[in-house]
Amino acid sequence: MEEKEKKNGTGFFYGVIGVATLVVAIIGATFAYFTATAEDTNTIQGEAANTGLSLEVTHLSTGAVSGLIPLNSTDLQKAVTGDTAATGDPKTCLDKNNNTICQVYSIKVTNEGNSIAAVTGTLDLQPVSNPEAEEGGESAFANLKWQVLTDASTVNPDATSYGIGENPIASNITLNAEGNQTFYIVIWIDNLEESQNAADYGHFNGSVAFNSAEGSGISATFSA
């Protein structure tokens, strides 16, 4: 009888140990499960920057609407300021006889994105045929010139003059988010002090383009 009770006691002891071991195993498994699925969904967040450019080209020399006649480059500042000899009123790009001697344009580029953009701008001048003229209306502009102005009425003495073809307006200009910058250009036919009938005639188009390093771009076209 005593031996039987001893065996029963031993069995009960091992039963308790078994249950305790099972509980520890369950607790350990539960702890491991919650540790493995811990997560943070709020700390690392972000979005791609928006990029985009808009362009506005405006003809400022509104009184100068006829065909260009040649202009001495030394008189370019007078032409941009406006001749006052005839009426006393500024007449941008008109001489005292009201002949059109140049064209002035403003070019406003705006960064419509939410990040800083470095932009580069170009102007491409090209002669174009006149479809209304007989025999195709060919054009040629051997002495057509343009340059970037300091502002709407000031010639930059250090600015480079360009001719037909694509040339830079600005390079790597930084625009803040939703910022803008305005450039001014003047176009004229350089006077050679000789007949230029066979060298400069017809029509030309100008194409302004600005592009950012991110690849977005915009362009505008004008003609004369």
Side-chain angles (χ1 to χ4, degrees), residues 35-192:
T35 300
T37 58
E39 61 181 348
D40 182 338
T41 60
N42 296 315
T43 302
I44 302 175
Q45 296 182 354
E47 63 178 343
N50 295 326
T51 59
L53 299 175
S54 65
L55 189 61
E56 181 180 355
V57 179
T58 304
H59 181 207
L60 299 181
S61 51
T62 55
V65 294
S66 58
L68 294 173
I69 66 170
L71 169 71
N72 291 325
S73 294
T74 53
D75 292 329
L76 190 58
Q77 179 58 59
K78 296 179 182 178
V80 171
T81 303
D83 177 69
T84 60
T87 64
D89 298 321
K91 300 189 302 176
T92 302
C93 287
L94 295 176
D95 68 7
K96 64 181 180 181
N97 296 316
N98 288 327
N99 293 313
T100 296
I101 51 179
C102 63
Q103 299 285 3
V104 174
Y105 294 86
S106 67
I107 301 168
K108 181 180 179 181
V109 58
T110 300
N111 176 14
E112 296 185 331
N114 59 8
S115 62
I116 294 175
V119 301
T120 295
T122 59
L123 170 61
D124 186 7
L125 289 182
Q126 295 292 339
V128 295
S129 61
N130 180 6
E132 298 179 358
E134 296 180 358
E135 298 180 0
E138 293 82 1
S139 301
F141 288 94
N143 300 290
L144 189 67
K145 303 291 183 183
W146 73 273
Q147 66 176 235
V148 178
L149 299 171
T150 301
D151 55 45
S153 60
T154 306
V155 172
N156 181 357
D158 298 322
T160 301
S161 295
Y162 301 103
I164 290 293
E166 184 178 36
N167 290 287
I169 296 173
S171 180
N172 291 323
I173 300 299
T174 299
L175 294 178
N176 292 327
E178 300 182 357
N180 64 76
Q181 186 163 340
T182 300
F183 302 91
Y184 301 89
I185 63 167
V186 58
I187 303 172
W188 77 100
I189 297 175
D190 199 24
N191 185 23
L192 302 181

Side-chain angles (χ1 to χ4, degrees), residues 4-18:
K4 183 177 181 181
E5 290 178 355
K6 194 174 186 179
K7 288 183 179 179
N8 288 340
T10 302
F12 176 77
F13 173 75
Y14 285 117
V16 171
I17 294 298

